Amino acid sequence: MSNQTIGFSGSSRRPSTGGSPKSAINETIRVVCRLRPSLPMDAPKVSSPRDGVGAATFITPESMGMGGASSYESFVSNFTPEGNLTYSKNWGEEVKSFKYSGCVGPEVDQEELYSKQIKDIVSGVMDGYHGTILAYGQTGSGKTYTMKGEGDASAGVIPRSLRDMFELASESVDDITFSISYLQIYCEVIYDMLDTSSRKVLSIREKDNRLYVENLTEVPVKSVESCLELIKEGDMKRATASTLLNAQSSRSHAALLVTVTRRKKADKAGKATACVSNLVMVDLAGSERAKQSGAKFQQFEELKAINLSLSALGNCVSALAADKTHVPYRDSKLTRLLQHTLGGNSRTAMVVCVRPGNDDAGETYSTLMFAMRASNVKVLAKVNTVLDYEKLYKDLQLNLDGSGDDVHRMELEVVNLKIELEKAKEATQVAENQRGALGKRLEMSERGFQASLAAAGGEDNGDLVEAIEGVSEKWQQEVEAIQQEYVKEIEALKMKHDQNLKAYKAAANSANFDTEEAGFELERAQKGHLETLENVTSLTEKLREVEKENSGRIAELLDELNAKILLIEELQGGREKTEKAHNKKIMELVMRLEELEEVQQSQKADMVSRDAVLEMETLFSDTVEKLMHRVNQLEGKAKENREVEQIGNKHVDQKIQQSRQKNSDPHAMALLAQMEKNAGGVGVRVEPGRLRARNGRKQAF
Ligand SMILES: Nc1ncnc2c1ncn2[C@@H]1O[C@H](COP(=O)(O)OP(=O)(O)OP(=O)(O)O)[C@@H](O)[C@H]1O
């Protein structure tokens, strides 16, 4: 198992509306609406007074004859395999039409769905195109069933795709290898499902216009079974994760990434290429409303994250469908991960799953609307070919090895030819020698013959001379025949020698040429390797620098983290104290409340009735009114008294004045004495001018 960085689906270039590159596929996202059958869990729920028995929001062949569906508030009233779907709202008053790539009802099985809607995208992946299959829909609508399936008979898209891919690979002459990665996005955090050792959190990175999930585990696989086993292990981990994180299957998005590397043989120009393509299969989390799901606490947080990512997906789909320049991919991890898939370089199919329960009508409608938008998104998929450096290197090595063999073979041939040439030379020499010897013998014979002829003497010996001349002639002829034979033999040897020489020269030339070619090739390869090596070295250096930077940054981050942990601990300590104080306060308040309740309870017994209170209130206000009336009366009286007193005072003052002037009025004196007495004091002298003020105040009440 290797732990490395791998890419998700190539370039994010948006498809242009103009001409497309050769072998590029210009199409839209293929949207297939799948209506799942009614299950016991969709037991009839009464959703309106007019809907007494409903269990399906769409008409199925089974429900068709029962006449129930058309009485529902909202329902799928018709659909065709060609993808036409009609949705009726308000008991059929409003009708909305949708058009998808296909529409499959409950009667369509996994095999039919796969072979008609998905298979060609999978085989496209084997030809070098990226492919993406998504399952979207409300919780319980059949996404996992569609993607994974149940058992062999109901196997879903994932096992069927893997089977097809391995089968195609076994039939191909090319060298095809597979690897898989498996991840989940839970509450906006990416987890590696194939890393059994840790629960590391992964990040999405971008480099050279290529998105990748950093450090995501990529496992080379050799069979469908090993893939399924790894997925099972991942799912088990997911189940474990669900206890740790409270994540259930529907709470996270699960994505399986299959990378296919197809190596082709080098062409005549010696260029070896490889296609590296991805098949991404995503089981999205279920869309649902908090109210509907009754989510609380952690579940609510999950739901928030799911809805955030699904609505981000919806926003991206809307922006792409409307051909907007800005697509908000960065709004969620899901959309960032699918950036190159949606509207980019990947053939994409989306199976939109719909539940039949009539309580789901609202969700069904928004699912259908989302699907409609998705079906307008354009994609431009192209074959993803790269230079296969590994193969190129291996092939060159093999070629060089082969050239070496050829040179060696030719060298041997040359050596053999040289030996034969030497032999031919020797044979020629022998023949020359023999010819020389024969010539000498002939000369000697000639001389002997002439001598014999002279000794035989003249015409008398005519018969003998004739006989000798005949022998001589015969001898001469024999010698000539032998000579000719030798000449022929020498010529043949010469010819063979010349031929050998020619072959030797040709072999030597060809060997030289091949050696030269091989030398050039080697030089080119060495140059290429050198460049690659230089690139690798500079990349390694960069990597080291980045690692160095990262380790510095990581150290800083760790320090920060430690500081934050300390802070959190302190805060927690403080919070605990505050909590304790709060708890104490709450306890006190609770006790106080209890006391009050007790008091209230005891007061309740003494409490008068509401009528009695009203009566008392009326009595009280009557009394107050009367008192106010009385006060007003008294104030009027007092005012009158004050006026009378003023007049009286004035009169008394005049009288006192007069009597003082006269100093003999006994009546005035008596009055004065009386007044002084009333003023209350022994030794108090009442002056006539001041008497009014003191008395005036007293008389006010
Ligand atoms: N086409 C179908 N035929 C038969 N049964 C189906 C079909 N689709 C779904 N089901 C059944 O419906 C139930 C819910 O399906 P499934 O678990 O796939 O839903 P889901 O959308 O993945 O839910 P979640 O979002 O919670 O993961 C399962 O019991 C499944 O077997």
Side-chain angles (χ1 to χ4, degrees):
M1 194 177 285
S2 68
N3 211 359
Q4 50 184 282
T5 300
I6 58 155
F8 254 69
S9 290
S11 152
S12 62
R13 190 166 58 83
R14 293 276 303 280
S16 68
T17 41
S20 22
K22 203 170 169 237
S23 79
I25 298 175
N26 209 338
E27 58 186 16
T28 51
I29 291 184
R30 181 180 305 173
V31 176
V32 183
C33 185
R34 185 176 208 189
L35 311 167
R36 98 151 151 68
S38 274
L39 298 170
M41 70 177 186
D42 310 311
K45 293 173 201 158
V46 179
S47 62
S48 86
R50 292 170 69 176
D51 177 12
V53 284
T57 52
F58 53 83
I59 297 176
T60 66
E62 311 97 66
S63 66
M64 199 86 168
M66 297 178 189
S70 60
S71 65
Y72 303 155
E73 188 180 358
S74 303
F75 59 98
V76 174
S77 56
N78 196 16
F79 59 90
T80 67
E82 292 74 37
N84 296 306
L85 187 143
T86 319
Y87 192 80
S88 299
K89 286 173 87 179
N90 302 332
W91 290 277
E93 280 165 20
E94 275 176 63
V95 174
K96 173 115 180 114
S97 298
F98 298 92
K99 174 80 182 111
Y100 308 115
S101 304
C103 219
V104 295
E107 72 289 353
V108 172
D109 64 9
Q110 301 275 66
E111 167 55 24
E112 194 178 334
L113 173 79
Y114 176 77
S115 57
K116 287 194 177 153
Q117 304 288 357
I118 312 289
K119 196 179 171 82
D120 65 317
I121 293 185
V122 173
S123 44
V125 173
M126 296 301 287
D127 291 334
Y129 296 96
H130 292 318
T132 306
I133 321 290
L134 300 155
Y136 179 95
Q138 193 189 355
T139 296
S141 56
K143 297 179 297 297
T144 310
Y145 181 86
T146 300
M147 295 310 286
K148 289 192 183 137
E150 289 163 0
D152 270 356
S154 299
V157 169
I158 292 176
R160 280 174 203 275
S161 308
L162 291 170
R163 239 164 245 145
D164 263 7
M165 287 198 284
F166 275 95
E167 204 174 301
L168 286 168
S170 71
E171 290 162 4
S172 171
V173 289
D174 297 332
D175 173 23
I176 300 178
T177 52
F178 297 95
S179 59
I180 64 166
S181 301
Y182 192 24
L183 60 86
Q184 74 159 330
I185 307 174
Y186 172 72
C187 283
E188 283 301 277
V189 179
I190 304 175
Y191 295 100
D192 190 340
M193 305 309 281
L194 295 185
D195 181 6
T196 45
S197 58
S198 69
R199 283 195 51 75
K200 64 184 176 207
V201 171
L202 305 176
S203 317
I204 302 171
R205 302 249 181 263
E206 184 166 13
K207 196 175 179 192
D208 302 332
N209 195 28
R210 187 171 166 270
L211 277 180
Y212 61 93
V213 179
E214 197 174 41
N215 293 327
L216 179 65
T217 304
E218 184 184 18
V219 187
V221 279
K222 293 212 164 357
S223 68
V224 181
E225 289 66 36
S226 58
C227 291
L228 294 178
E229 193 53 40
L230 283 166
I231 295 169
K232 204 165 139 191
E233 277 172 28
D235 283 340
M236 269 162 61
K237 194 183 165 202
R238 195 178 181 188
T240 317
S242 73
T243 38
L244 281 176
L245 292 165
N246 250 347
Q248 289 147 21
S249 63
S250 58
R251 307 288 97 200
S252 66
H253 308 295
L256 178 75
L257 172 83
V258 184
T259 305
V260 183
T261 308
R262 182 180 194 139
R263 296 204 152 85
K264 299 188 182 209
K265 286 215 166 66
D267 61 12
K268 280 181 191 154
K271 213 166 88 177
T273 52
C275 290
V276 182
S277 46
N278 295 324
L279 177 63
V280 185
M281 293 180 272
V282 191
D283 182 2
L284 291 167
S287 59
E288 61 188 321
R289 282 174 235 153
K291 196 178 152 208
Q292 216 175 354
S293 67
K296 283 178 193 148
F297 310 113
Q298 178 67 15
Q299 283 177 342
F300 191 73
E301 289 306 310
E302 290 165 355
L303 203 63
K304 256 173 34 188
I306 293 167
N307 286 343
L308 177 138
S309 55
L310 289 178
S311 71
L313 181 64
N315 293 341
C316 288
V317 161
S318 299
L320 287 164
D323 238 353
K324 288 197 176 150
T325 42
H326 174 69
V327 182
Y329 291 117
R330 287 174 188 270
D331 282 2
S332 82
K333 292 276 182 335
L334 176 70
T335 46
R336 187 85 171 114
L337 200 70
L338 295 176
Q339 178 167 347
H340 293 322
T341 293
L342 297 166
N345 173 25
S346 181
R347 300 189 69 198
T348 304
M350 189 183 283
V351 183
V352 174
C353 302
V354 175
R355 278 169 65 137
N358 48 328
D359 274 8
D360 304 317
E363 199 63 46
T364 300
Y365 186 71
S366 51
T367 302
L368 294 175
M369 289 297 289
F370 168 81
M372 185 72 184
R373 285 194 296 276
S375 66
N376 289 324
V377 175
K378 293 179 201 127
V379 291
L380 176 67
K382 57 182 177 54
V383 176
N384 299 282
T385 312
V386 290
L387 255 190
D388 186 359
Y389 285 106
E390 196 184 322
K391 177 125 180 72
L392 195 70
Y393 176 78
K394 279 185 189 158
D395 285 355
L396 263 174
Q397 201 65 51
L398 273 177
N399 281 351
L400 283 175
D401 290 351
S403 308
D405 286 351
D406 283 351
V407 170
H408 186 61
R409 192 168 35 76
M410 282 177 187
E411 276 172 358
L412 275 178
E413 232 171 85
V414 168
V415 170
N416 285 337
L417 282 171
K418 272 184 180 169
I419 291 169
E420 273 191 42
L421 192 68
E422 285 307 313
K423 276 184 190 166
K425 270 184 186 170
E426 273 173 23
T428 313
Q429 193 58 50
V430 170
E432 288 281 347
N433 291 346
Q434 279 178 344
R435 195 178 145 205
L438 268 172
K440 273 184 186 157
R441 271 176 66 192
L442 188 67
E443 216 177 290
M444 275 168 66
S445 303
E446 181 76 25
R447 262 193 261 129
F449 168 70
Q450 289 299 336
S452 303
L453 201 65
E459 284 139 28
D460 298 342
N461 294 321
D463 292 344
L464 182 65
V465 170
E466 241 175 63
I468 289 170
E469 276 180 355
V471 171
S472 170
E473 204 170 310
K474 203 177 161 196
W475 178 247
Q476 186 81 29
Q477 279 170 358
E478 270 181 35
V479 167
E480 273 175 10
I482 289 170
Q483 264 187 333
Q484 271 171 8
E485 227 172 90
Y486 273 121
V487 167
K488 267 187 196 165
E489 211 173 306
I490 286 167
E491 270 171 6
L493 276 171
K494 226 177 163 183
M495 231 163 84
K496 200 174 171 193
H497 169 249
D498 285 348
Q499 274 171 357
N500 280 352
L501 202 65
K502 211 170 159 189
Y504 163 70
K505 276 183 183 166
N509 278 345
S510 150
N512 275 349
F513 180 74
D514 282 355
T515 314
E516 215 170 292
E517 268 293 287
F520 282 142
E521 199 106 341
L522 188 64
E523 209 175 300
R524 272 202 300 271
Q526 275 174 345
K527 213 170 150 196
H529 289 316
L530 213 65
E531 275 171 17
T532 316
L533 207 67
E534 275 169 9
N535 283 344
V536 171
T537 316
S538 84
L539 283 174
T540 317
E541 268 170 25
K542 271 187 199 159
L543 188 71
R544 281 213 191 98
E545 275 169 28
V546 171
E547 269 175 1
K548 218 167 130 188
E549 272 173 29
N550 279 355
S551 56
R553 182 73 191 123
I554 287 168
E556 276 173 24
L557 287 172
L558 276 174
D559 287 349
E560 270 177 39
L561 188 70
N562 285 338
K564 277 183 184 151
I565 289 171
L566 280 174
L567 194 67
I568 288 168
E569 280 172 1
E570 271 174 32
L571 286 172
Q572 267 174 348
R575 208 184 71 186
E576 272 165 22
K577 269 187 205 161
T578 318
E579 261 176 12
K580 267 186 197 161
H582 278 174
N583 287 345
K584 204 176 155 202
K585 193 84 190 156
I586 287 167
M587 285 305 292
E588 282 171 10
L589 285 171
V590 168
M591 280 163 66
R592 180 82 187 112
L593 198 69
E594 281 171 1
E595 278 172 21
L596 284 171
E597 272 174 1
E598 271 173 29
V599 171
Q600 209 178 13
Q601 286 299 329
S602 67
Q603 277 179 349
K604 255 187 193 167
D606 306 336
M607 263 167 76
V608 285
S609 72
R610 189 174 158 71
D611 287 348
V613 170
L614 280 175
E615 206 177 311
M616 279 165 74
E617 276 177 359
T618 320
L619 199 66
F620 177 73
S621 59
D622 283 353
T623 313
V624 168
E625 210 175 303
K626 278 180 191 160
L627 281 172
M628 287 304 290
H629 183 68
R630 181 78 189 122
V631 166
N632 287 339
Q633 274 182 343
L634 288 173
E635 273 185 350
K637 206 92 174 154
K639 198 178 165 196
E640 272 174 30
N641 285 346
R642 274 199 300 276
E643 283 167 4
V644 171
E645 187 196 320
Q646 274 174 359
I647 295 165
N649 278 345
K650 213 173 167 185
H651 183 70
V652 168
D653 280 350
Q654 281 172 356
K655 284 279 179 200
I656 290 169
Q657 205 59 38
Q658 285 168 2
S659 82
R660 276 200 179 142
Q661 282 169 358
K662 286 178 188 169
N663 221 7
S664 57
D665 184 353
H667 177 70
M669 294 309 288
L671 184 63
L672 196 60
Q674 181 62 40
M675 286 178 76
E676 281 175 353
K677 196 180 168 194
N678 285 350
V682 180
V684 175
R685 171 107 180 115
V686 177
E687 292 296 329
R690 292 184 62 197
L691 183 69
R692 179 171 46 95
R694 289 170 95 187
N695 281 350
R697 210 178 139 154
K698 249 185 162 180
Q699 283 169 1
F701 282 95

